[in-house]
Amino acid sequence: MNESQYYKELSKCVRCGACKALCPTYLSTLDETMGARGRIAMLGALRKNELTPTKNLSDKIFSCILCGACEDLCPTGINIPETIYEGRAQLKDHYRRGRLLAKIMKSSLSKTNTFFSVLRGLQKFIYPTLYKAGRLRYIPAMAPSPFKKNAQVYKNKKKIGRIVIFAGCSVNYFYPHLGDSLIHILMAKGYEVIVLSGEICCGAPMRSLGFKKEAVTMAKKNIELFNKLNTEAILCMCPTCTMTIKKQYPIITGETIEKIMDVNEFFIKDKTIQNLKTGPRVVTYHDPCHLRYGLGIKNEPREILKGIQGIKFVEMQNAGDCCGFGGFFSQNFKELSKTIGKKKINSICNTSADTVVTSCPGCMMQLEGIKNETGAEIDIMHIVEIIYEAMQGEKI
């Protein structure tokens, strides 16, 4: 978004307030500056030099969870998330916490596996103390070995086609079993599966911190790597990665990764869910914001769950509410994140379901943390896990 486009977007706002109807930060605080309308107004005033860049202003702009729920509500069609990204790029030097996180991320990019190995060691000895003191949010134990440790081709005698997996950082370092489950599902269907070790972060965390140039560099590396491949689809288990690639890569680079697809969309198109059965479960579904609002995928996961024998599906009230994760948001605005998360856990528990399924490793991380704090008794699963379980014919 160039300067003239940015000004045009800011000028579109008619202050109607429709954007506040689904805004998790506004609804949790009832503070005008914590909603999209307030943030757009502040960025407009900043551009006109009616406000100056300050820590307080930066906190307000960076407190947007970037869920995207407001975008379709805007009657004048403002691209609110992109406007917030542009505002953050202009304010990043005044956001102290963001600068520190960006430095850590930059230093880790060249030796990512080594960096995470060091973090894994620190997690064992330092993290528990900082977590108990409230200095850090809940972070699941890092896996002993990342999912995409080496480039791998999983051959298949049937070979009805070839699928490439875009793992994403959360699956790679925290939930590698999700990647393993997806490989098993695809192999059972007859696909050859490829995992690339050269994949790097999609760039969403850096862009959310206002570092657009660094995000562009990451995007171009992934585009060059994945577009070389001849494949039926490139599947991703993280909606943030998928949305970033499909919707933001074209904006910031003019290109995208062809054939990138969310797993739910692929499973429905490929008719993966046929004659599957699992042990009895009462299941509800939590919509990841970037899947529901960013990619428009809402019915597919529900269709998948309802198609598995042994599952009784129950819908929760306010199903589209955010869980409060939002990447770095959950660390930088911990109390607000917890408030939003506890509201979501209450909605889940009110269904009397024994299992909540989602399609986002970040949402899993947030729900696990809130579950630990509240003592909620509910299983938390990724859609890939429950499909793999159903392929085994029983609970695992």
Side-chain angles (χ1 to χ4, degrees), residues 108-245:
S108 72
L109 288 178
S110 59
K111 297 180 180 179
T112 310
N113 286 347
T114 301
F115 176 76
F116 274 92
S117 294
V118 173
L119 281 186
R120 185 169 174 266
L122 292 174
Q123 188 181 47
K124 288 183 179 179
F125 301 106
I126 298 175
Y127 169 74
T129 301
L130 293 176
Y131 176 64
K132 288 178 182 177
R135 299 288 298 277
L136 290 177
R137 55 151 284 128
Y138 167 78
I139 303 172
M142 297 184 69
S145 180
F147 169 64
K148 54 183 183 66
K149 189 174 183 179
N150 298 299
Q152 296 181 64
V153 177
Y154 295 84
K155 299 285 187 179
N156 198 317
K157 291 181 180 179
K158 299 178 185 178
K159 197 180 178 182
I160 63 170
R162 174 187 289 172
I163 300 294
V164 179
I165 295 177
F166 189 101
C169 299
S170 295
V171 168
N172 192 38
Y173 294 107
F174 293 102
Y175 301 110
H177 69 281
L178 297 182
D180 294 335
S181 295
L182 181 56
I183 290 171
H184 286 301
I185 293 168
L186 295 172
M187 293 285 286
K189 285 286 291 181
Y191 287 103
E192 177 179 278
V193 182
I194 296 177
V195 177
L196 298 177
S197 62
E199 172 201 317
I200 63 172
C201 174
C202 69
M206 290 298 284
R207 196 166 186 230
S208 74
L209 293 171
F211 291 83
K212 179 180 177 180
K213 182 179 177 181
E214 290 78 2
V216 169
T217 299
M218 294 177 182
K220 287 182 175 179
K221 287 182 179 179
N222 281 326
I223 290 167
E224 182 181 4
L225 177 67
F226 281 90
N227 279 347
K228 290 178 179 177
L229 302 169
N230 179 23
T231 179
E232 273 65 45
I234 299 169
L235 300 188
C236 186
M237 291 166 281
C238 175
T240 298
C241 295
T242 312
M243 184 196 71
T244 298
I245 293 166

Side-chain angles (χ1 to χ4, degrees), residues 36-55:
R37 179 172 71 173
R39 293 184 178 106
I40 294 295
M42 288 186 289
L43 289 174
L46 176 66
R47 192 188 180 282
K48 296 175 183 176
N49 296 316
E50 295 170 358
L51 286 177
T52 57
T54 62
K55 177 184 178 300

Side-chain angles (χ1 to χ4, degrees), residues 8-158:
K8 183 179 180 180
E9 291 298 294
L10 293 175
S11 302
K12 285 182 184 178
C13 184
V14 295
R15 308 291 187 263
C16 69
C19 53
K20 298 191 294 183
L22 294 175
C23 178
T25 53
Y26 172 76
L27 294 174
S28 297
T29 62
L30 299 181
D31 180 342
E32 181 67 28
T33 65
M34 296 294 281
R37 179 172 71 173
R39 293 184 178 106
I40 294 295
M42 288 186 289
L43 289 174
L46 176 66
R47 192 188 180 282
K48 296 175 183 176
N49 296 316
E50 295 170 358
L51 286 177
T52 57
T54 62
K55 177 184 178 300
N56 186 48
L57 175 61
S58 299
D59 281 349
K60 297 296 184 183
I61 303 305
F62 279 86
S63 67
C64 173
I65 207 165
L66 290 170
C67 64
C70 56
E71 188 174 2
D72 288 341
L73 298 176
C74 181
T76 60
I78 301 172
N79 190 332
I80 297 172
E82 282 300 316
T83 306
I84 295 295
Y85 280 123
E86 187 62 33
R88 289 185 179 189
Q90 297 184 14
L91 288 166
K92 67 179 184 297
D93 292 336
H94 300 272
Y95 189 56
R96 190 185 312 164
R97 288 175 289 187
R99 292 202 306 272
L100 176 61
L101 287 167
K103 284 180 181 179
I104 293 171
M105 287 200 66
K106 284 181 189 178
S107 66
S108 72
L109 288 178
S110 59
K111 297 180 180 179
T112 310
N113 286 347
T114 301
F115 176 76
F116 274 92
S117 294
V118 173
L119 281 186
R120 185 169 174 266
L122 292 174
Q123 188 181 47
K124 288 183 179 179
F125 301 106
I126 298 175
Y127 169 74
T129 301
L130 293 176
Y131 176 64
K132 288 178 182 177
R135 299 288 298 277
L136 290 177
R137 55 151 284 128
Y138 167 78
I139 303 172
M142 297 184 69
S145 180
F147 169 64
K148 54 183 183 66
K149 189 174 183 179
N150 298 299
Q152 296 181 64
V153 177
Y154 295 84
K155 299 285 187 179
N156 198 317
K157 291 181 180 179
K158 299 178 185 178

